[in-house]
Amino acid sequence: MILIQGRGISGGEAQGRLHCFHRVGAAAAKKPGADPAHEKARLAEAQEKAKEQLRVLTERCRREAGGEAALVFATHAMLVEDEDYIRRIQALLDQERCCAEYAVLQVGRQCAAVFETVDDDYMRERGADVLDVTWRLLRNLAGAGAGTAITRGPFILAADDLNPSEFIELDREQVLAIVTRRDSQNSHAAILAKLLGIPVVCGLGDELHAEYHGRTAQVDGNAGTLVIY
């Protein structure tokens, strides 16, 4: 038996098979020599898909967790259309004649880094919102869909972290609890989990190993512990 101490975010207990989550994403190599006009058209198409996806997620979240929680995705929708954010991506396309995937990833990381330097836990977590939107655009550019390929449960979901889109797109009837390596007390995903009554323990760090995938585990969201059997 292996006991790992973390931070309990959402109370409750659960026991089941541990499933280690890996993001399904898009390649973002620079690929120089691209036509800026073509890449801007691809970016615009990815934006339109993102806006519709976020509209659906906002409504789903409003039904399942209430209006306050739905503001998460309304905020994401505003970012997708933010003029400065898009203008910076387009400028990079013009300057470096790179593919849209590369420009989206670079600008997304730069914007997120600004939040991460702020001396405020809540504001630092907002950098995760920027990366959530960035990841959505990358998946749309690649035609990769939701990107949450997970086998059927029920299971305890383990991840480095979990962004709001990934959480709300889960089949939560199959998710018994969530555990993460990163300490994400203020993350939207943790807040959503608490609203929906799913036990969550974060801040498990490097003691949460991928090799535990498939093993029986027990989560105590009140004590902030994960036990591997």
Side-chain angles (χ1 to χ4, degrees):
M1 183 181 78
I2 302 167
L3 172 65
I4 308 174
Q5 182 67 53
R7 183 200 298 268
I9 297 301
S10 179
E13 298 181 13
Q15 181 169 319
R17 177 175 58 87
L18 194 70
H19 181 96
C20 294
F21 170 76
H22 300 285
R23 284 192 175 96
V24 178
K30 191 170 184 178
K31 296 181 182 178
D35 175 17
H38 176 68
E39 296 305 310
K40 288 177 184 178
R42 293 182 63 230
L43 173 63
E45 183 178 352
Q47 281 181 271
E48 290 303 313
K49 288 181 180 178
K51 286 190 286 186
E52 175 58 21
Q53 290 163 348
L54 289 166
R55 183 192 66 77
V56 171
L57 287 179
T58 300
E59 291 305 313
R60 177 177 175 180
C61 195
R62 182 175 289 114
R63 291 194 307 270
E64 298 180 6
E68 184 176 354
L71 289 175
V72 172
F73 299 105
T75 300
H76 287 192
M78 292 174 62
L79 178 56
V80 166
E81 297 187 274
D82 184 82
E83 291 184 2
D84 181 62
Y85 175 67
I86 298 302
R87 186 162 49 243
R88 291 178 65 179
I89 297 173
Q90 292 174 334
L92 194 58
L93 292 173
D94 287 330
Q95 294 165 8
E96 302 201 19
R97 300 185 67 85
C98 56
C99 64
E101 287 88 345
Y102 179 81
V104 166
L105 181 60
Q106 296 308 307
V107 172
R109 284 175 171 171
Q110 291 166 8
C111 292
V114 173
F115 286 100
E116 290 170 359
T117 60
V118 177
D119 189 21
D120 180 272
D121 289 342
Y122 182 85
M123 290 304 295
R124 280 199 299 270
E125 288 288 352
R126 303 295 69 80
D129 292 333
V130 176
L131 292 177
D132 192 329
V133 170
T134 297
W135 202 255
R136 179 174 298 281
L137 289 174
L138 287 173
R139 293 198 307 262
N140 287 341
L141 285 165
T148 52
I150 294 178
T151 56
R152 291 190 61 80
F155 51 76
I156 293 169
L157 183 65
D160 288 335
D161 58 10
L162 200 65
N163 65 44
S165 292
E166 289 165 340
F167 176 81
I168 203 67
E169 289 170 346
L170 291 171
D171 180 355
R172 286 178 304 289
E173 291 184 0
Q174 305 297 323
V175 179
L176 301 172
I178 297 172
V179 295
T180 67
R181 293 184 180 88
R182 183 182 173 191
D183 191 349
S184 305
Q185 185 173 12
N186 295 311
S187 76
H188 288 318
I191 293 168
L192 287 170
K194 188 171 183 178
L195 287 171
L196 294 169
I198 298 175
V200 177
V201 173
C202 68
L204 294 168
D206 293 337
E207 292 187 66
L208 177 57
H209 300 299
E211 66 191 48
Y212 295 153
H213 177 81
R215 292 178 63 170
T216 299
Q218 184 172 4
V219 174
D220 187 333
N222 299 304
T225 57
L226 169 67
V227 177
I228 306 294
Y229 295 99

